[in-house]
Structures are given as structure tokens and as C-alpha cells.
């Protein structure tokens, strides 16, 4: 064995190789025996080589994982784009059925029938869409159609036997749209803030015609 210690150098991790190298260096300075010094130098060389290989390996692992992260983000972006596309198509198909219903194409039971598929379209609660920020509304609009959302977060610290040691409390205030006020204003045909619309909404069910 071309080393002075019995350590399995190949089994050591990079931290252990650094520690082992420094320990050998200290022993080398104190050793007078030439044969022992020769073994120590050989072991130091082996330790240094293995340590360098492990340092290099960190780079290759980082490159590998960096590539995997990059590709994962690209795949996620593709999936998000695909979901957005198909969701838009779904909404378009729903809008088509709702327009058919609006134009009186459904029968008295709110059904629109094809050869093999039947849709039942039922009017449900209107849909409120707020695409503007409440901060963009006028003072009068905020007074009429906004409300304060108060969120309180309580963090409690306890000992292992659940004795309360400390309690932190944080409160967050947000000014948000008031749906009830906006729906009432729409019902009364009042002018809504810019970016706020109320749209008719429908539940759409489908079934295969087996008869």
C-alpha cells in the first residue's frame, strides 16, 4: 500500500479529504524518518488528486443540474402556454353555446341538441370581472364600490410541552372591490368603474344521446 495511513481515501468525501490532507501535512513536518516521509508524500499526492477530482465533479454536477433546471423551465413554459391556449379555446366554445342560447336557439328546456350530443344551458349568477386596480378608481368610486380587507396573521411560539412562550401578530390592510356593491350598481344600471364589467353567466352540461 503506497500510503502511511490505513484510510480508504476513495471513500472519503471532499471535506474529509481536505481534513486528511491537512493532518498529513502536519505529520510530515514533524516526521524525521525518510521512509515515512516518502509514504506521506505519496499519500498527500493521492489525496490531492482525489480531492481535485471531487472539486471538478462539483462543476459537472452543477452544469448537469443547471441544464435540467433550464429545460424544466422551458417545458413548464410550454405547458403553461398550452394550458392558456386550450383554456382560451374552451372559453370560446362556451361563449358560442351561450350566444346560441341568447339568440333563442335552445328549446323550452334550455337544451341545444346535436346528432349525438345534447347541451343543457342554464342561467346562473352573473360573473363579475375586475380588470383594473382599485387604486385607479376615483375617490367617489372607491367610497361606493370598495371595501377594506383586513388580514391578521398570528404566529405563536411554544415550548415542547406547548406552553406559550411568545406570540407575534401582524395585520395587513388591503382595499379591494366590493362585489355586492358592484352587483347592486349593475342591477340599478349605474355607471361602474373603468375595468369593471358584469357578464351573464351560464352553467353548461353535456350528455351523449343514447336513444
Amino acid at each position: 500500500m503506497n500510503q502511511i495511513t490505513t484510510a480508504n481515501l476513495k471513500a472519503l468525501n471532499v471535506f474529509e479529504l481536505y481534513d486528511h490532507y491537512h493532518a498529513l501535512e502536519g505529520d510530515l513536518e514533524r516526521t524525521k524518518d525518510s521512509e515515512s516521509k516518502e509514504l506521506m508524500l505519496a499519500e498527500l499526492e493521492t489525496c490531492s488528486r482525489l480531492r481535485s477530482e471531487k472539486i471538478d465533479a462539483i462543476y459537472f454536477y452543477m452544469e448537469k443540474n443547471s441544464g435540467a433546471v433550464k429545460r424544466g423551465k422551458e417545458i413548464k413554459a410550454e405547458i403553461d402556454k398550452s394550458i392558456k391556449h386550450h383554456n382560451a379555446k374552451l372559453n370560446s366554445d362556451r361563449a358560442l353555446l351561450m350566444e346560441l342560447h341568447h339568440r333563442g336557439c335552445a328549446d323550452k328546456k334550455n337544451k341545444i341538441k346535436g346528432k349525438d350530443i345534447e347541451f343543457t344551458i342554464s342561467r346562473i349568477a352573473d360573473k363579475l370581472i375586475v380588470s383594473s386596480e382599485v387604486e385607479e378608481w376615483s375617490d367617489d368610486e372607491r367610497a361606493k364600490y370598495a371595501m377594506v380587507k383586513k388580514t391578521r396573521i398570528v404566529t405563536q411560539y411554544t415550548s415542547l410541552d406547548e406552553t406559550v412562550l411568545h406570540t407575534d401578530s401582524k395585520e395587513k390592510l388591503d382595499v379591494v372591490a366590493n362585489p355586492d356593491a358592484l352587483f347592486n350598481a349593475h342591477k340599478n344600471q349605474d355607471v361602474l368603474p373603468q375595468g369593471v364589467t358584469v357578464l351573464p353567466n351560464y352553467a353548461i352540461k353535456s350528455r351523449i344521446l343514447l336513444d
Side-chain angles (χ1 to χ4, degrees), residues 161-188:
D161 63 0
E162 298 189 357
T163 301
V164 177
L165 302 175
H166 180 65
T167 300
D168 262 345
S169 178
K170 294 181 180 179
E171 193 169 86
K172 182 182 178 183
L173 300 179
D174 294 300
V175 179
V176 298
N178 184 339
D180 291 339
L182 290 168
F183 277 124
N184 287 334
H186 173 73
K187 185 178 180 181
N188 296 331

Side-chain angles (χ1 to χ4, degrees), residues 186-197:
H186 173 73
K187 185 178 180 181
N188 296 331
Q189 298 184 344
D190 295 336
V191 177
L192 299 177
Q194 186 174 1
V196 178
T197 53

